[in-house]
């Protein structure tokens, strides 16, 4: 496995010479953090075995949300929070894609356009839920912004995971959408109609923000809607890129002669493919997906908002839903194991400077 930190160390100087005027402060911070993540230059933790008292030093992770090493625990916590809000309904994954003609504007105005993209996506499904004959109520959705394709190209789009259900606050009714099969609807909303409404909302929002639209942009936009059962796997997919960056280090398969090779799964054929890029360009592909500082990539809306915890718990009680069942299949965070006896180790001291330790990874 090739570490991202080693690629950064190899190409950082040339990369900064070429892209220093294009980088956001958040992207510079990400580059600096990932460069030293779990290397001999990072701070150390002292771990001690609970059984045999053996000790060893472990390099700190950088903790950056775009680092492929880090944030596994935070990703797990996010997923657990979403699964605890599950309701008895069929879930759908709705994807709103920004047309290619608007991507240059999105790159220039990232904070504004990303926020509008998320909000207009939600406002679209919210309106459809209120007007749907079977639902006629308030919707709930989990939204996650992605800026990359599987090839790591710039491709801003928003995923919404939402149940085919609604709450009528006036009549205090819980409604779910029913199809020919009473257990599965298989249908939420017409994707072409969603695309038309989304297009109108986003173009209007861009104009109200005082931004100039390009001279040409398509009349037909793309929105995809597909059923995802209880939503578990869709949430796992979204959580995978919410933290830990846009690529796993196991997918970086070569770095030689100034070129980096990585693999990805083709979205159409589902076959694994490879892409070879100069090292500097590869780093640019990684860092351009680091969002502006403080921007929230994931948001919950409607009755799935954190402020609706009591409402969700009441629904789960009334409808006989046990949220703990949804968490049963999650893997627990692996513990640090002792090299002597195989027992669990506990962290007893953190943030130890590497200069004070002769060996970065001593005995144990």
């Amino acid at each position: 496995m090739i570490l991202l930190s080693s690629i950064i160390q190899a190409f950082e100087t040339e990369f900064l010479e070429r892209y220093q005027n294009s980088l956001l402060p958040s992207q510079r911070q990400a580059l600096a953090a990932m460069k030293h993540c779990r290397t001999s230059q990072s701070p150390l933790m002292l771990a001690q075995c609970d059984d045999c008292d053996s000790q060893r030093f472990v390099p700190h992770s950088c903790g950056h949300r775009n680092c492929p090493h880090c944030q596994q625990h935070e990703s797990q916590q996010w997923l657990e929070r979403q699964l605890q809000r599950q309701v008895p309904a069929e879930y759908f994954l709705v994807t709103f894609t920004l047309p290619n003609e608007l991507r240059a504007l999105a790159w220039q105005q990232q904070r504004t356009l990303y926020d509008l993209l998320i909000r207009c996506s939600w406002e679209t499904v919210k309106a459809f839920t209120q007007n749907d004959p079977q639902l006629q109520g308030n919707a709930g959705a989990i939204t996650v912004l992605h800026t990359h394709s599987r090839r790591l190209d710039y491709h801003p789009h928003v995923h919404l995971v939402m149940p085919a259900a609604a709450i009528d606050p006036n009549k205090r009714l819980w409604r779910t959408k029913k199809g020919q099969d009473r257990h599965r609807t298989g249908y939420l909303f017409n994707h072409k109609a969603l695309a038309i409404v989304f297009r109108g909302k986003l173009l209007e929002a861009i104009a109200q923000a005082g931004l100039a639209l390009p001279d040409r942009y398509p009349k037909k936009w793309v929105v995809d809607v597909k059923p995802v059962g209880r939503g578990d796997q869709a949430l796992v997919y979204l959580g995978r890129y919410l933290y830990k960056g846009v690529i796993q280090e196991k997918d970086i398969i070569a770095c030689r002669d100034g070129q980096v090779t990585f693999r990805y799964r083709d979205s159409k054929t589902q076959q694994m493919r490879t892409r070879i890029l100069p090292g500097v360009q590869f780093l640019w592909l990684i860092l351009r997906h680091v969002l502006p500082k403080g921007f929230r990539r994931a948001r919950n809306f409607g009755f799935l908002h954190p402020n609706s915890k009591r409402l969700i718990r009441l629904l789960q009680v009334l409808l006989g839903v046990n949220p703990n069942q949804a968490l049963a299949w999650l893997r627990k965070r692996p513990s640090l194991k002792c090299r002597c006896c195989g027992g669990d180790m506990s962290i007893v001291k953190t943030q130890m400077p590497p200069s004070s330790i002769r060996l970065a990874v001593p005995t144990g």
Side-chain angles (χ1 to χ4, degrees):
M1 182 176 67
I2 298 173
L3 300 180
L4 182 58
S5 58
S6 66
I7 297 177
I8 294 174
Q9 291 173 1
F11 299 105
E12 180 184 29
T13 301
E14 184 181 353
F15 171 79
L16 290 176
E17 289 177 355
R18 183 179 304 182
Y19 291 106
Q20 60 181 342
N21 295 327
S22 302
L23 289 174
L24 297 174
S26 58
Q27 294 166 336
R28 291 181 179 274
Q29 183 181 15
L31 182 71
M34 294 186 292
K35 176 182 177 182
H36 299 306
C37 183
R38 302 193 188 187
T39 67
S40 60
Q41 300 178 32
S42 64
L44 300 171
M45 300 180 290
L46 179 61
Q48 181 171 303
C49 180
D50 298 337
D51 296 327
C52 69
D53 294 332
S54 175
Q55 293 183 338
R56 69 183 174 106
F57 294 106
V58 181
H60 261 290
S61 60
C62 66
H64 198 280
R65 67 182 306 152
N66 288 275
C67 177
H69 276 307
C70 303
Q71 302 287 307
Q72 175 65 34
H73 182 56
E74 287 73 13
S75 178
Q76 186 90 344
Q77 287 182 319
W78 178 85
L79 182 56
E80 289 177 1
R81 289 195 299 270
Q82 309 315 315
L83 293 177
Q84 287 174 343
R85 299 188 183 112
Q86 276 191 324
V87 293
E90 183 177 2
Y91 279 70
F92 287 79
L93 179 64
V94 188
T95 304
F96 294 85
T97 301
L98 189 70
N100 182 61
E101 291 80 356
L102 295 180
R103 291 173 192 170
L105 178 62
W107 177 252
Q108 296 166 4
Q109 304 288 337
Q110 292 181 46
R111 190 178 295 275
T112 299
L113 258 292
Y114 293 163
D115 183 68
L116 294 180
L117 185 57
I118 294 172
R119 294 187 177 277
C120 289
S121 299
W122 159 244
E123 291 295 334
T124 298
V125 298
K126 177 183 175 182
F128 271 72
T129 303
Q130 291 172 338
N131 297 324
D132 187 275
Q134 293 189 47
L135 298 178
Q136 300 181 42
N138 296 338
I142 302 162
T143 68
V144 177
L145 169 72
H146 285 174
T147 60
H148 63 284
S149 67
R150 297 189 181 187
R151 283 169 44 89
L152 301 188
D153 293 319
Y154 188 58
H155 185 263
H157 57 282
V158 172
H159 292 298
L160 288 91
V161 178
M162 63 178 296
I167 294 176
D168 186 333
N170 298 321
K171 298 182 179 180
R172 296 184 178 181
L173 292 176
W174 169 255
R175 299 190 181 105
T176 57
K177 197 157 187 175
K178 299 177 176 60
Q180 295 180 351
D181 182 342
R182 66 174 183 171
H183 298 294
R184 291 178 61 85
T185 66
Y187 177 82
L188 183 62
F189 305 126
N190 182 278
H191 67 99
K192 293 182 179 180
L194 284 170
I196 292 172
V197 174
F198 171 63
R199 178 182 186 273
K201 287 183 178 295
L202 185 57
L203 291 179
E204 180 182 2
I206 291 174
Q208 290 180 351
L211 300 178
L213 290 164
D215 295 332
R216 295 182 180 180
Y217 46 85
K219 292 184 177 180
K220 292 184 179 181
W221 290 20
V222 177
V223 175
D224 181 68
V225 184
K226 65 179 181 181
V228 289
R230 295 177 55 192
D232 298 10
Q233 294 305 315
L235 290 171
V236 171
Y237 169 75
L238 297 183
R240 185 181 305 157
Y241 298 106
L242 181 58
Y243 298 95
K244 298 174 71 68
V246 296
I247 191 171
Q248 300 180 64
E249 287 180 321
K250 67 179 183 180
D251 291 325
I252 305 174
I253 56 179
C255 179
R256 61 174 69 94
D257 300 327
Q259 305 281 322
V260 175
T261 304
F262 68 93
R263 62 187 177 189
Y264 65 95
R265 187 177 299 277
D266 187 276
S267 58
K268 294 182 179 179
T269 65
Q270 297 302 310
Q271 299 294 317
M272 296 301 297
R273 298 185 179 278
T274 59
R275 187 175 183 184
I276 303 175
L277 295 170
V280 170
Q281 189 176 344
F282 173 77
L283 287 183
W284 177 236
L285 283 189
I286 298 294
L287 289 171
R288 73 187 309 186
H289 303 300
V290 175
L291 299 182
K293 184 177 180 179
F295 189 90
R296 290 189 297 124
R297 183 190 300 273
R299 306 179 191 181
N300 289 45
F301 291 96
F303 63 77
L304 292 178
H305 191 275
N307 290 342
S308 301
K309 288 181 180 179
R310 290 185 178 180
L311 176 60
I312 291 296
R313 289 173 183 170
L314 177 61
L315 279 172
Q316 291 171 340
V317 171
L318 294 176
L319 299 172
V321 176
N322 182 2
N324 293 326
Q325 290 181 346
L327 303 175
W329 58 272
L330 286 177
R331 297 179 182 177
K332 294 184 178 180
R333 187 180 187 182
S335 59
L336 184 64
K337 295 297 183 181
C338 177
R339 294 175 178 174
C340 296
C341 68
D344 292 338
M345 302 192 78
S346 301
I347 303 299
V348 296
K349 193 172 182 180
T350 62
Q351 297 297 333
M352 302 173 67
S355 58
S356 64
I357 309 298
R358 290 186 177 183
L359 297 176
V361 185
T363 60

